[in-house]
Structures are given as C-alpha cells and as structure tokens.
Amino acid sequence: MILPIVAYGDPVLKKKGKDISKDYPKFDVLLENMFETMYNASGVGLAAPQIGLPIRLFLVDTSPFAEDQDLTEAEQKALGTFKRVFINAQIIEEDGDEWVFNEGCLSIPDVREDVFRKPKITVSYLDENFEAHTESFDGLIARVIQHEYDHIEGVLFTDKLSSFKKRLIKSRLTNISKGKVDVDYRMRFPNQKKKR
C-alpha cells in the first residue's frame, strides 16, 4: 500500500526516533509499504518518520544512481545493487574530508541544495531479520545512508544549510507545509487549510 509522505513542517520529522524490537506489529507489512511508497515517489531512501512513525527504521535502494554517467563503472555497479533495510541504526564513525552533493528529500519536494557530508561512515544496525551488522560505506551510498539516518535523528537536510540559504528558501518551505506544491505522489501536509 502506498502511504502518504509527511511534508516539511510536521513535528514527527523533528522527533528523534525510538528503537524497535522484532515484535513490532505487522513489521513485514510496514516494510513492504515503505518500499512501495519509496518507489512510487522515485526515491532512493525513505525513513519511518517520513510516513509519520517516530521509530528508528529506514530503507535505501541506490539503484537509480547506477545510470549516472559521471560515476566510475565500479561506483555504478555498487550503487546498482545496493538495497538495504536499517533498523535501530547508529553511525559509529564519520571520516574523511567533507564533500558537497546536491540533495533533495521526498518530504521537501522541489527543493534541492548543496549539502556537505563526510565521505566514509561506519554504521551498526539490524537488518530486516533483526540480525546485527557493523559495516563501513563510502561515496554516494554513505551519503544516502547519512541523509536517511538524519531523519531518525530528527534532522532534515535543510537544517544543514547556512542561515543565508535557509532565509532564501523559507517561503518555499512554508508553502510546502501548506500543501502549495505540485507533487506526483501522495503527501500529508501539516498546515494545509481544511476544505469545507
């Protein structure tokens, strides 16, 4: 089932997510719905807060980046097959010199900005079978994980922008929260005027 994606301005996007256990109700259905919702919106990642759940769960599928001709063949191959579920994730380490990449977010449609992040990360997490892993990632895969990880920490990519950039996009963000934005996927807007 395709779920509505929560728009900028909803308090759930600013909450730090809670850990979940393997007896989380209807977990398989939730995962299936999240993947369906992400693909329907042409996303490469989706975190539970974006569908209104303040829990530490996100998923990533970087295969759309595999078509990017600017990347090396090895990068394209890695991105083309990377699909993962992250439960109760903790970033243990971030390493290297920050690099910039133009990021967007399904909860903040039509806004893209340059964000600086470290290129290498080490993450401990549980997979969809609640088995523990500690792995290191780099490049675009690391960036997508960092972006989704921020969601379960109550952080949006717009929080990482300079105060000048934030001022420039303030009215666009306000419009998004009111539903004044054209999107081709289901969304839930926190400040939308109710139709009579």
Side-chain angles (χ1 to χ4, degrees):
M1 183 172 73
I2 293 166
L3 306 167
I5 292 174
V6 172
Y8 179 91
D10 192 301
V12 74
L13 294 175
K14 296 309 243 170
K15 277 189 183 136
K16 191 168 172 159
K18 292 195 173 3
D19 281 356
I20 60 170
S21 62
K22 58 167 58 146
D23 55 7
Y24 190 85
K26 296 186 178 165
F27 184 72
D28 294 351
V29 177
L30 173 61
L31 270 192
E32 202 176 299
N33 291 345
M34 282 181 71
F35 271 113
E36 203 177 331
T37 301
M38 178 178 78
Y39 293 136
N40 177 65
S42 304
V44 292
L46 185 70
Q50 293 181 277
I51 54 159
L53 298 173
I55 56 173
R56 297 185 76 78
L57 166 66
F58 63 87
L59 32 100
V60 169
D61 182 345
T62 58
S63 55
F65 285 127
E67 308 299 310
D68 190 335
Q69 298 304 310
D70 295 338
L71 301 170
T72 66
E73 204 174 306
E75 285 173 316
Q76 287 178 330
K77 195 173 175 191
L79 290 160
T81 58
F82 191 81
K83 180 178 172 179
R84 213 57 73 81
V85 172
F86 293 83
I87 301 165
N88 303 344
Q90 293 293 338
I91 290 182
I92 302 164
E93 194 179 359
E94 294 183 299
D95 198 34
D97 295 329
E98 288 193 336
W99 64 293
V100 70
F101 188 80
N102 195 257
E103 291 188 22
C105 178
L106 296 177
S107 293
I108 314 174
D110 295 342
V111 174
R112 297 193 67 85
E113 292 293 339
D114 287 347
V115 178
F116 285 88
R117 296 187 190 273
K118 302 262 189 188
K120 292 191 183 92
I121 58 168
T122 302
V123 193
S124 73
Y125 68 98
L126 304 173
D127 64 20
E128 62 273 27
N129 302 312
F130 286 83
E131 286 171 16
H133 302 267
T134 300
E135 279 184 275
S136 295
F137 303 99
D138 61 13
L140 267 178
I141 289 174
R143 178 169 290 268
V144 175
I145 293 168
Q146 286 164 309
H147 178 108
E148 298 309 325
Y149 180 82
D150 279 351
H151 275 300
I152 64 170
E153 290 288 313
V155 175
L156 298 169
F157 83 92
T158 48
D159 297 332
K160 296 184 174 294
L161 303 177
S162 68
S163 47
F164 175 67
K165 271 275 163 66
K166 285 179 188 164
R167 279 202 303 278
L168 287 179
I169 63 170
K170 189 172 187 242
S171 65
R172 287 166 72 196
L173 295 176
T174 302
N175 282 339
I176 290 168
S177 72
K178 290 177 179 170
K180 295 180 182 172
V181 63
D182 193 23
V183 276
D184 54 8
Y185 50 88
R186 282 181 70 198
M187 287 197 81
R188 191 177 89 208
F189 301 99
N191 301 324
Q192 194 168 34
K193 295 264 187 284
K194 300 282 183 268
K195 293 185 173 69
R196 290 176 200 268

